[in-house]
Structures are given as structure tokens and as C-alpha cells.
Amino acid sequence: MTHPNSAAIELSINEIPADWRQEARSLLQPGENVLAVLEVDLDTQLRFVRGLVAVTDRRLFSRSPGDAGWQTWDYRPGLALNHHDHAGVGHLDLTDASGLLASWRFTLGQNLQAIRLYDQFRLQLEGHLSGRPVVQPPAHVCPSCKAPLAPDQDECPICTKVIHTPPSTWTLFRLWRFARPYRVQLFWGFVLTLLGTAASLVPPYLTMPLMDEVLIPFQNGQKIDPMLVALYLGGLLGSALLAWVLTWARTYILALVSERIGADLRTTTYDHLLNLSLEYFGGKRTGDLMARIGSETDRICVFLSLHLLDFATDVLMLAMTAAILFSINPWLALVTLLPLPIIIWMIHAVRDRLKTGFEKIDRVWSEVTSVLADTIPGIRVVKAFAQEKRESKRFHDANRHNLAVNDKLNRTWSLFTPSVSFLTEVGLLVVWAFGVWLVAHEQITVGVLTAFIAYISRFYGRLDSMSRIVSWTEKSASAAKRIFDILDHVSSVPEPTQPVHLDHVKGRIEVRDVGFRYGNREVNRGINLTIEPGQMVGLVGHSGSGKSTLVNLICRFYDVSEGSIRVDGVDIRALPVAEYRRNIGLVLQEPFLFFGTIADNIAYGRPDATREEIIAAARAAHAHEFILRLAQGYDSMVGERGQGLSGGERQRISIARALLIDPRILILDEATASVDSETEKEIQKALENLVQGRTTIAIAHRLSTLQRADRLVVLDRGQVVEEGTHDELMAQEGAYYGLYQAQARNMDVDIDDAVESAVGDKKDDAK
């Protein structure tokens, strides 16, 4: 049985924590090698305790969490290791025919190492049971999870969170949906390409009579006929001019068409992106999406306007030239085509590498742009924590990775293109040799050979050009795949097939048995809540209790997994999304302002609002006074994300923006969290008037801001644990009472303890 090389062995041994490493070494038998290690961090009661599981080439051994001893299990028939995760906890269970032998739990941060250990266990067990040698991978490992990689692998299949399938060239045909509106222009572009190619093939044909009827007779003592020479030269000049005009016309037309296709592609992709749910954006990086809509569509544009046009010209030129060559001399034409099968085989062989390579280059380049998209907007945080060197290293690492992937592909491409050029040169030499032999045996004339060589030069030149277009074809296929990855994504918040329209929203909200999951993690469950029109309801609970998730469900940023949410008796999933959200005013904890004037930011929800309406909304949000103190007043420019304004000023502009649309439902998600006490009092005064007649849902950690709410709802672990007015909840002395008392004393509070106490009291009462 073969063993891994020493570098791989030492790598796994060193993964064992230093305080256990010597004990682990003492367990190893002579010649036994550690192949994978998992440091578990939970016990069976899900308490944080350290433990260890390791796989060797002979057995599995473990130090269970909280246990000072070691256990070992040799590979034998019936032994099995099961791996799965549930509710954010990873599970490894070791079993045999008698039942469960051992069980380990770990947080999902350890899941990559668990997958590696699980795969290595199966490989070793299979090798021992079959008696076949276990071939270990070489010591080429992933720098992140230390998983072994093949020599030609530069991406770890474990660490790569998304399974990347190589792009297919057929993806380019999907662009036809964007080209269809311009099919007339494309037709005329093809006709002009056909005519221009035909015109460019006339000059070599005229060289035959020019050589055989003018130049060679002149060398033999005959006089030159000026009219005949003028006729041939005029034909050469006329064909050149005609080819130039036709080529210019087709290039101009197809360039206009390709730019419009690219513009339509960008617009359609961006519009589709805006209609996707928040769930999609939660798993994407800004830099990656920017690269797709920007550089990827530009690449497709260049391909359509230049390289696809060249490819079509090359194909036509090859076909027409081959037809002319066979009409002149079939045997010489066959000799010309000898290198063609080899070149076609080379193109086919290199396409697969180019296909995966260019798709990988696109993704790696998006890593570079993502670093920029992260760092530049967050430059204040970078400087505040003096992390310039760290961010510089991130960019250097991403740029170095981009360079390495490009270098790997360039090694393939640099070998391919000279090889094609060499084969075309060899083919030209073969034609010269065979042509001279035919002339020597008087089977063709010198003029025929001259014309043939001229056509051959064009033929091989176009063949070489067409082989180079393979690179651009695969680049564009990769770009098209990344674009269609967005366009093919279906929003998890779909538009209703038979929409219901509410002419006048009153604002009655009913939450019926609502449950929601993020993947396998249950966030909300069994929530029942009714909010009458004009009521103000405060949501209270610790971070992660499901308050913001419930608000997101009411706004229909996500759709419920169970139950339903109704507004005025209609399920919100039956309402058109944009039409429904126009009735909601949302003020977020982190106010976001766009680059532009203050007036534009306030009027974002109603671009047609008058200046008087904008000022009225600003007054209501107590923003009018500080706006007038700015140099340009309402026309003052604010930087990206509201740079130049304080947190309280940004929040008040955000409140004014929500109020301007006059919503029937008002949602305040920690609306006063980023303002000082004085500003909070001003906003509270404004809210007392603004909530009149509106259904208001407010989330706040400062419980003093919710005392005027008609009803308070206390959430914990995604469930409603208490509900009532401020006075009622204070009288119950439950979770809300504990929170309020702790805040009144300016003390930290453990909401979990308060809620558990309240739930326990309710269970005792029920008994």
C-alpha cells in the first residue's frame, strides 16, 4: 500500500493543535501516516468544547470533546462515517453493524476540514476492503483548507462555493434574442460581406492573364499591348475600390448593430438585476456584478463588431478561395488543403482549455474588482483602523492570482498560435514545390502558379486569422455565460400571475402563522399578529430574534416559507410588487443616500415632487433647519453614501424621503439609532404627528422611543413571547420588564435570560 509523500504527511500532522500533537504522534504505529484532521468545537449538548478527529492510512482516531482519553477504530467491514449538517451544526457519526460508535459535532466553519476528512476516510476504507493500493494525491494542496489538489488544479473543489461549469460556445447563439430586432441590418451586413469578399478575390484572378498574356510574352520578345495592360490594371484598381467601399459599408453597419445589441444587453441585464430579490444580492459581490454588466458586455460588443465579422469574412474567403483553387487545378488545390486537418485538430484540442481558462479569468478578475468595490466605499473604516497595508495586500494577492491564471492560459495560447503559423508556412512551401514541378512538366503556366500562390497566401492568412478568433470566441462565450447566469436567475419574489389591485390601501396588516427560513436555518415560526389601520406597533427583542426579518417579510423583500401576510385582507403575494411597495415608507437603521443634491435624495421616491413638497417633508423630519445652513441649501451636493453629513442628518433626510411618498404603512427600523438624544427628541415630536392615520411598525432598542406605541410585541428566537401595551407588559414583569429596567439603570441586559424567564412563567401558569 503506497503512502503519501512526506510533505503531505507533515502538513496533516501540523494541523493537530500543538498541545495534542505529541500525544497524537505517540499513537501512530511505525509507518502510519496522518492524512486528514478535524478539530471539532462542540459536544453532543452543543456546548463549546475542543475535540479532535483524525484519519490515517490504517484507522480513525479521536479525542472526544471534554474527554482526556483517545479512541481508535481500525478499518474493517461494516464501518461507516456519515457526514451532514442541520440548523447550522455539522455532524459526523461513526457506525458499524452494532450501531453508533461515536458522534462529533462542530460549527460549520469547520465544514471544509470535515469534508476533507470524510473523503479521505472513504478512500482509505475502500482501499483496505478491496485490497487495492490507495493512491494518494501529490503534495499540491489548497492554501485555504489544505485539501490535496491535482497537479493541473489551481482551484479547490471544496473551497469553491459555487460549482462553475465551463461555458459552451453555443451560449453565443442565445444572443440572437438581442440581435433579432436588427435582423434587416444584419442581413444587409451579410450581403455586403459576401460582395466585399468576392471583390477582394478578383485581383489574384487577373494576375493570371497579366502574367501569361503580357509579361511572359514580353520576355519572349513580343510587344506589350497598352490597352490590354490598362484593362487589367483598371480591373485591379476597380476591384480594390469596390472592395474598400463594400468593406467600409458593412463594417459601419455591423458596428452600429453590435453597439445597440451591447446596449440592449446591458439594459436588459440591469433591469433584470433590479427585479431580483434581496436573497440574490446577499450571495453576490458588488464588484462581480459590476464586472459582468460592464466589462463582460463590452467584450461581447467587441466580438460582435469586429471578431465575428472577421470570422464570417474568413469563412466566406476560405470557401470562395477553395472553390477558385479547385477550378484552377484540383490536384494543386488538394495539396493546399493538406495542413487543414491538423489545424482543425489543434483548434479542437485547445478549445477546451481556452473555454475553462477564460471563464476562470473572468471570475478571478471579478475578485480584483470586488476588492476595489469593498475598499473604496469603506475607505473611512480602512483609515480609521489603519488597515491600508492589509487592504493593499488583499489587492496584491488578488492581482497576483489574476496574473497566475492568465500566465497559465498564455502558455497554452503562445504554443498554439505559432504552431498554426508554422503549419501554414509549411503548406505554402509544399504548394511552391508541387507547383514548380507542375510548371516544369508543362501542366500549368507560370501565371496560373502566380495566381495560385496569391490565393494560397490569402487562404492561409485567413486560416491563421480564423484560428486566432478561437480565443475571442471562447472569451465571448465565457462573458455571455456570466451574463445569462444573471438573466436566467428567477426572483424568489415573483410577480403574481393574476394580480389583484388595491385602489386605496387602508393599512390593516394580518400575519397568519408565518414562518421563514434562510436555507436550513429557521428564523421565524408560527407568528400571528394583527395590526389595525392607524395603529403603531413596536417590535422588541434581542439581535437575531427575527424583528428585521418580519419587517422584510411585510415589505415583501422575501416571501414567507409558511403562512401568509395580508394587507386589507389580500395576500401580499397577489399584489404587484412595485404597486404594493409604493404604499410603504421605510426608514432603515443605516440610512443610504445617493450621490446628488439633498433635494434629489428626498424626492427619490417621488421624482416629480415639487420643491414645496420636498421642503414640507424636510420640515416634518426636522431636517429643514440644518439644510438651510448648508452652502447651497437643498441644492447642496452630498457625497456617495451621504459623505459630508453627520449620521443624524443623513437619518433625517432618510425620514423625509419616506414621508414624501405619504405612505399608508410606515416602517421604522431603528430609525433613531444613529442620532443623539436631542435629535431623537425632535424626531419623536415629528413622529407623533406623522403616525396619525398611518399603520406604523417601529423597531427600536431604546425602549423609551416605543412607549407611545399602541402595542408592543416582544420576539425571541423567531416567535412572539409577549404582546401588549407598555403598561400591561410592565405589570407582567416578564421579558419586556427586564429590558426596560436594565435600560433605565443604563445596564447591559441579557434578553435571553429575560425571555426564558418569561416563557417559563407562562408555562407554569399554563400548568
Side-chain angles (χ1 to χ4, degrees), residues 46-91:
L46 304 185
R47 293 173 298 197
F48 285 98
V49 183
R50 294 175 64 212
L52 185 77
V53 186
V55 166
T56 75
D57 53 0
R58 301 182 185 180
R59 55 183 169 162
L60 181 146
F61 67 86
S62 156
R63 180 170 182 150
S64 297
D67 191 351
W70 294 82
Q71 293 178 289
T72 64
W73 297 270
D74 294 333
Y75 298 123
R76 61 180 187 272
L79 194 66
L81 186 65
N82 300 310
H83 169 251
H84 65 281
D85 64 86
H86 176 70
V89 176
H91 297 243

Side-chain angles (χ1 to χ4, degrees), residues 242 383 493 507-508 600 625 763:
L242 181 61
K383 291 186 174 297
V493 181
R508 188 175 193 270
D600 290 340
E625 290 75 11
K763 289 182 178 178

Side-chain angles (χ1 to χ4, degrees), residues 347-358:
I347 292 174
H348 176 73
V350 83
R351 274 184 69 244
D352 287 339
R353 292 200 173 199
L354 294 178
K355 187 181 300 182
T356 55
F358 285 127

Side-chain angles (χ1 to χ4, degrees), residues 204-213 215-216 328 439 444-455:
Y205 202 84
L206 293 178
T207 59
M208 286 190 296
L210 189 62
M211 292 286 295
D212 293 338
E213 298 177 17
L215 297 179
I216 293 178
I328 295 174
V439 170
I444 61 173
T445 64
V446 175
V448 170
L449 179 59
T450 303
F452 217 94
I453 294 300
Y455 278 121

